[in-house]
C-alpha cells in the first residue's frame, strides 16, 4: 500500500497508531510525517499528536466504519470490481440534472436502495444524477453539509464500496453522476483538521473556514484539490457540484477554483472522458464559467438562483426576504434572456448593487443550471414545503414547461416530477446533546427572523423529521401525480428531440409577456430552421395568446388548447384555459 503520510507542520512528535500499537514517524522539511510501515486493508489506524493518548483519524481517511470520532480503516481502491470500463462519460451541454439525497430518496436511505430506483430516472429521461454530499459526518442522518472527513464516504449510506456500486449502476444505465462536495467549511462535530495544521482561518456562517491564502495554505489547497480528484478518479464520478464557493476567501493571484479547474481538465484528458465542475455561487459573476484562456476561472457551469427566484415569485406570489426584488413577468423575461436579474443592479435584500452582466453572445445558456426547486430552496423553508403544497397541478405544469423549454441546463429536485406531497425539511442527528440543542435553538431563531413561529419549525434532531422527508414512491402511480409525471417525461423527451429546445444560445431566445393578462411566450430557434414556441397562461381566466404569425400545431399541452386557424382570422394565436400551457411549432 506504500508509505503512510500525514501533514502536521507544528507538531513535535507524531506516531502512527495501528491496531493498538504505536510507531514513531519521521518529519520532512515541509511538515509531512512519514512511516514505511505497511497497513493491510481492513486494519484500523490513526495518529497520535505530541503527547496525546487517543488517536485521531487520518485527515485523508477513505473509510470510517465506526464514525468520525473513531480510528480510520485502511481501504484499497484496487479491489472493487468495476464494470463500467466502456463508460465514456457525458457532457453537461444538452443534459437534464436530477438532484437527490441518498438518505431520504428511499425508505432504507442507502446507496443500494437508491440503485433500485434508477430505472425511474432513466424512464424520466434525465442524464445526470446529482448526489448531495456523502462525505463522513457525525450521526446517522443529515443533509451532508456538516462533513468533517471529506475523503471518507458516509458509512450509514453504505461506505465507499456502496457509493462505487451506485456509480457503477448509474453508468450501466447511461446516467452520469455529479457529487456535491463542500470545501468552504467543516461541520461542528468531529472536525479535527485544526489539530494537525493551519487548515482554518476565520469562519463562515456554517463553520470554520479553510485557510486558502495564509501561511501553510499550499498544503490546504492541495488537500482540497486531491479530494476533488479522488472522487473523479477513484470513484468514477463524472463531475462535482462545488458548494457555496462565494464563502471561500482566497486572495491569491491564482484562485483555487482556477487551479482546480485546470487539474480537473488535465485528469479528464488522461481519463478520456468529460469531467464537469459546477459551482454554487451567490456572486452572479460570469467569470466563474468563463474559460481560463479568456481570463476566467474555467469552471463548466454554475447554479443560477435568479431564475429560480423569478419563477418562484411569479408562480407563488411570495415576496418576503430575498424575493423582494422579483415577482413580475417582466423580471422573469429579462432573467430568462440575460441569465442574472441582478447584474450590476440594486439588490434591496443586500442593500447594495450586485452581480455583473453575462455576455450572452459568448457564454451559452447550458453553463447555468436553472431550477424550480432544489434542496436549499425547499429545505431552508421553515416547514420544508415544496411548490406542490401551494400550487395547483396546472401551475406546476406551467413552471415545468418554462424550465424545460428554457436554454438553461434544467435541474429537478427528487420527487418534483410527480409533485411529491412529502416535505423536505432540515434534519441532523448529532449525538452530543448540547450540540443537538444548539442546532434546535439556532434553527428556530433563524426562522423567527423571517416571521415563522417556534411551533411551525420542525425539530431538526427528531427522527420523525427525517421520516417525513422521505419521498413516497406510491405517489407516482396515483391521480394527478401520475399525470404530472407523464408531463415531465413528455417535456424532457421533446427537449431531446427538438434542436430548438436544447439550443443554448441566449441571443436566439425571445420572450414576450403580458403582465396584466398573466401570459408568457417563449420563442425558441436553433438558427437552422427548427422553431418551437411555448405559450403559458398563468392567470385564473382563459386567454387568447399571440404566438407567431404562422399556422401552428400543438406538440404538447397540459389542457384543452385551440390554435387559431387561418380561416377564422386568428392565425398564429392560441386559446389557453386558466393555468394552461402549450408547446407549439409551425405547421409543416
Amino acid at each position: 500500500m506504500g508509505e503512510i503520510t500525514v501533514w502536521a507542520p507544528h507538531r513535535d512528535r507524531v506516531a502512527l497508531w495501528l491496531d493498538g500499537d504505536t510507531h514513531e514517524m519521521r518529519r520532512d522539511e515541509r511538515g509531512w510525517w512519514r512511516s514505511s510501515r505497511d497497513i493491510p486493508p481492513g486494519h484500523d489506524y490513526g495518529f497520535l499528536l505530541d503527547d496525546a493518548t487517543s488517536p485521531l483519524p487520518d485527515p485523508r481517511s477513505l473509510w470510517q466504519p465506526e464514525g468520525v470520532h473513531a480510528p480510520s480503516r485502511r481501504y484499497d481502491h484496487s479491489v472493487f470490481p468495476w464494470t463500467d470500463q466502456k463508460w465514456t462519460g457525458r457532457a453537461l451541454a444538452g443534459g437534464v440534472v436530477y438532484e437527490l439525497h441518498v438518505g431520504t430518496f428511499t425508505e432504507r436511505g442507502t446507496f443500494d436502495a437508491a440503485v433500485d430506483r434508477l430505472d425511474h430516472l432513466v424512464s424520466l429521461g434525465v442524464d445526470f444524477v446529482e448526489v448531495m454530499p456523502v462525505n463522513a459526518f457525525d450521526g446517522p442522518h443529515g443533509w451532508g453539509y456538516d462533513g468533517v472527513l471529506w475523503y471518507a464516504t458516509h458509512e450509514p449510506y453504505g461506505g465507499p464500496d456502496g457509493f462505487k456500486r451506485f456509480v457503477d449502476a448509474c453508468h450501466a444505465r447511461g446516467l452520469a453522476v455529479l457529487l456535491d462536495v463542500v470545501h468552504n467549511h467543516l461541520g461542528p462535530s468531529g472536525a479535527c483538521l485544526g489539530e494537525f495544521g493551519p487548515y482554518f482561518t476565520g469562519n463562515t456562517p456554517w463553520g470554520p473556514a479553510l485557510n486558502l491564502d495564509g501561511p501553510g495554505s499550499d498544503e490546504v489547497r492541495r488537500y482540497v484539490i486531491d479530494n476533488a480528484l479522488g472522487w473523479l478518479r477513484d470513484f468514477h464520478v463524472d463531475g462535482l457540484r462545488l458548494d457555496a464557493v462565494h464563502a471561500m476567501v482566497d486572495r491569491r493571484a491564482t484562485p483555487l477554483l482556477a487551479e482546480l479547474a485546470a487539474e480537473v481538465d488535465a485528469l479528464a484528458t488522461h481519463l478520456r472522458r468529460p469531467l464537469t465542475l459546477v459551482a454554487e455561487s451567490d456572486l452572479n459573476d460570469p467569470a466563474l464559467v468563463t474559460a481560463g484562456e479568456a481570463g476566467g476561472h474555467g469552471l463548466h457551469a454554475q447554479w443560477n438562483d435568479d431564475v429560480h427566484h423569478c419563477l418562484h415569485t411569479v408562480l407563488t406570489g411570495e415576496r418576503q426576504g430575498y424575493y423582494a426584488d422579483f415577482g413580475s413577468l417582466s423580471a422573469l423575461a429579462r432573467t430568462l434572456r440575460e441569465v442574472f436579474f441582478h447584474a450590476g443592479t440594486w439588490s434591496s435584500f443586500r442593500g447594495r448593487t450586485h452581480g455583473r452582466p453575462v455576455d450572452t453572445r459568448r457564454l451559452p445558456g447550458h453553463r447555468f443550471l436553472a431550477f424550480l426547486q432544489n434542496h436549499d430552496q425547499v429545505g431552508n423553508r421553515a416547514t420544508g414545503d415544496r411548490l406542490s403544497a401551494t400550487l395547483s397541478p396546472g401551475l406546476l405544469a406551467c413552471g415545468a414547461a418554462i424550465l424545460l423549454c428554457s436554454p438553461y441546463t434544467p435541474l429537478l429536485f427528487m420527487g418534483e416530477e410527480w409533485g411529491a406531497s412529502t416535505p423536505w425539511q432540515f434534519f441532523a442527528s448529532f449525538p452530543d446533546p448540547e450540540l443537538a440543542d444548539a442546532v434546535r435553538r439556532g434553527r428556530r431563531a433563524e426562522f423567527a427572523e423571517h416571521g415563522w413561529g417556534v411551533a411551525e419549525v420542525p425539530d431538526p434532531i427528531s427522527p420523525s423529521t427525517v421520516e417525513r422527508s422521505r419521498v413516497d414512491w406510491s405517489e407516482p402511480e396515483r391521480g394527478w401525480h401520475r399525470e404530472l409525471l407523464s408531463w415531465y417525461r413528455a417535456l424532457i423527451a421533446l427537449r431531446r428531440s427538438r434542436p430548438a429546445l436544447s439550443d443554448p444560445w441566449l441571443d436566439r431566445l425571445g420572450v414576450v409577456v403580458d403582465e396584466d393578462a398573466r401570459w408568457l411566450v417563449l420563442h425558441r430557434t436553433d438558427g437552422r430552421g427548427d422553431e418551437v414556441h411555448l405559450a403559458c397562461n398563468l392567470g385564473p381566466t382563459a386567454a387568447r395568446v399571440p404566438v407567431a404569425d404562422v399556422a401552428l400545431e400543438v406538440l404538447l399541452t397540459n389542457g384543452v388548447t385551440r390554435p387559431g386557424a387561418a380561416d377564422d382570422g386568428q392565425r398564429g394565436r392560441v386559446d389557453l384555459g386558466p393555468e394552461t400551457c402549450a408547446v407549439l411549432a409551425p405547421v409543416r
Side-chain angles (χ1 to χ4, degrees):
M1 295 291 290
E3 70 175 357
I4 304 300
T5 63
V6 66
W7 186 60
H10 304 321
R11 293 296 182 173
D12 295 323
R13 291 176 52 249
V14 176
L16 171 67
W17 181 95
L18 175 59
D19 293 333
D21 296 327
T22 59
H23 310 274
E24 293 297 325
M25 303 180 73
R26 62 187 185 279
R27 186 188 191 278
D28 68 15
E29 67 280 359
R30 294 181 64 88
W32 281 89
W33 296 80
R34 304 177 185 277
S35 172
S36 58
R37 184 169 294 274
D38 185 50
I39 302 179
H43 285 248
D44 291 346
Y45 72 102
F47 299 104
L48 297 167
L49 306 180
D50 290 337
D51 298 323
T53 56
S54 297
L56 294 175
D58 184 353
R60 293 176 177 242
S61 169
L62 297 172
W63 195 9
Q64 293 293 132
E66 303 301 326
V68 298
H69 296 284
S72 304
R73 185 164 295 173
R74 193 69 159 161
Y75 180 81
D76 184 357
H77 274 303
S78 67
V79 174
F80 186 81
W82 289 100
T83 65
D84 67 348
Q85 289 79 9
K86 294 183 179 180
W87 173 251
T88 57
R90 188 178 293 280
L92 184 66
V96 177
V97 182
Y98 187 95
E99 184 188 26
L100 65 84
H101 175 265
V102 173
T104 51
F105 186 55
T106 65
E107 186 65 29
R108 286 185 289 148
T110 64
F111 294 121
D112 290 336
V115 168
D116 295 338
R117 294 295 180 182
L118 292 180
D119 290 340
H120 166 82
L121 303 186
V122 173
S123 68
L124 179 60
V126 301
D127 305 285
F128 286 83
V129 181
E130 181 177 308
V131 181
M132 288 176 60
V134 301
N135 51 194
F137 58 87
D138 196 15
H141 305 298
W143 280 17
Y145 297 94
D146 285 324
V148 292
L149 290 171
W150 292 347
Y151 288 66
T153 308
H154 192 51
E155 187 67 17
Y157 292 165
D161 275 1
F163 188 39
K164 287 181 176 181
R165 288 192 297 271
F166 176 82
V167 174
D168 203 42
C170 285
H171 289 171
R173 292 163 173 79
L175 297 169
V177 179
L178 299 175
L179 176 63
D180 198 339
V181 293
V182 186
H183 291 144
N184 58 70
H185 76 283
L186 272 81
S189 181
C192 61
L193 283 183
E195 299 293 318
F196 287 88
Y199 281 92
F200 303 134
T201 177
N203 289 281
T204 73
W206 314 288
L210 252 63
N211 167 28
L212 298 178
D213 55 11
S217 59
D218 283 359
E219 298 297 349
V220 179
R221 292 161 76 95
R222 193 71 249 166
Y223 181 78
V224 172
I225 292 172
D226 287 349
N227 175 247
L229 297 179
W231 291 118
L232 297 166
R233 180 190 59 241
D234 301 324
F235 287 86
H236 294 202
V237 168
D238 300 284
L240 303 174
R241 183 260 191 189
L242 309 174
D243 181 65
V245 299
H246 54 270
M248 301 170 73
V249 177
D250 180 9
R251 293 161 292 194
R252 290 176 60 159
T254 301
L256 172 67
L257 294 176
E259 194 176 339
L260 174 61
E263 294 216 25
V264 168
D265 284 346
L267 179 61
T269 301
H270 175 68
L271 297 176
R272 298 198 297 170
R273 60 182 173 92
L275 299 175
T276 302
L277 292 177
V278 181
E280 180 204 16
S281 172
D282 187 46
L283 300 177
N284 282 17
D285 185 0
L288 286 174
V289 295
T290 299
E293 306 94 288
H297 288 31
L299 302 179
H300 305 97
Q302 63 175 297
W303 279 25
N304 185 358
D305 280 341
D306 283 16
V307 169
H308 166 270
H309 296 349
C310 285
L311 285 168
H312 184 91
T313 52
V314 162
L315 293 170
T316 67
E318 292 183 13
R319 300 291 188 277
Q320 75 277 14
Y322 52 70
Y323 291 143
D325 294 342
F326 305 89
S328 66
L329 282 173
S330 59
L332 174 59
R334 171 182 160 189
T335 307
L336 287 171
R337 288 191 301 260
E338 301 177 10
V339 183
F340 298 138
F341 178 77
H342 288 125
T345 54
W346 177 257
S347 166
S348 63
F349 177 73
R350 298 175 178 87
R352 58 173 175 80
T353 56
H354 183 68
R356 285 202 300 166
V358 173
D359 185 344
T360 56
R361 296 166 300 173
R362 296 176 181 269
L363 287 179
H366 65 67
R367 294 192 187 175
F368 302 91
L369 272 66
F371 33 83
L372 286 164
Q373 302 173 84
N374 62 39
H375 75 271
D376 271 332
Q377 301 300 341
V378 176
N380 281 326
R381 298 171 65 82
T383 60
D385 53 312
R386 299 168 179 262
L387 287 177
S388 53
T390 54
L391 296 186
S392 67
L395 284 179
L396 291 174
C398 289
I402 297 171
L403 173 68
L404 289 162
C405 291
S406 79
Y408 301 108
T409 297
L411 177 144
L412 315 179
F413 182 57
M414 61 178 191
E416 170 189 332
E417 68 272 24
W418 70 77
S421 63
T422 50
W424 201 75
Q425 300 173 335
F426 178 76
F427 50 84
S429 57
F430 297 117
D432 181 347
E434 291 187 8
L435 177 57
D437 195 50
V439 171
R440 288 189 185 96
R441 293 195 307 270
R443 197 71 180 172
R444 289 166 179 164
E446 177 184 350
F447 284 115
E449 295 178 3
H450 295 277
W452 276 290
V454 171
E456 297 178 86
V457 182
D459 179 359
I461 307 299
S462 171
S464 63
T465 304
V466 181
E467 293 303 319
R468 278 193 301 272
S469 299
R470 297 189 196 278
V471 294
D472 178 358
W473 282 98
S474 70
E475 283 188 333
E477 303 304 320
R478 300 202 305 260
W480 68 268
H481 296 290
R482 182 176 64 249
E483 294 173 7
L484 185 62
L485 176 58
S486 296
W487 177 246
Y488 267 86
R489 285 173 173 158
L491 284 169
I492 293 173
L494 188 65
R495 181 183 178 90
R496 183 171 292 176
S497 67
R498 297 299 296 245
L501 290 180
S502 57
D503 185 274
W505 293 107
L506 292 155
D507 58 348
R508 290 205 278 254
L509 170 69
V511 188
V512 181
V513 302
D514 186 314
E515 205 79 59
D516 295 328
R518 299 285 293 164
W519 57 254
L520 168 148
V521 177
L522 297 186
H523 302 287
R524 303 298 315 277
T525 175
D526 67 342
R528 297 184 300 277
D530 191 37
E531 184 179 332
V532 177
H533 308 276
L534 169 67
C536 287
N537 176 19
L538 305 177
T541 59
R544 174 161 289 177
V545 180
V547 178
D549 191 22
V550 294
L552 298 168
E553 62 175 331
V554 177
L555 304 179
L556 284 178
T557 180
N558 71 322
V560 177
T561 304
R562 191 179 72 87
D567 58 2
D568 68 4
Q570 299 299 326
R571 173 175 169 159
R573 297 173 182 268
V574 62
D575 291 332
L576 295 175
E579 300 176 356
T580 302
C581 58
V583 186
L584 308 108
V587 175
R588 294 180 178 177

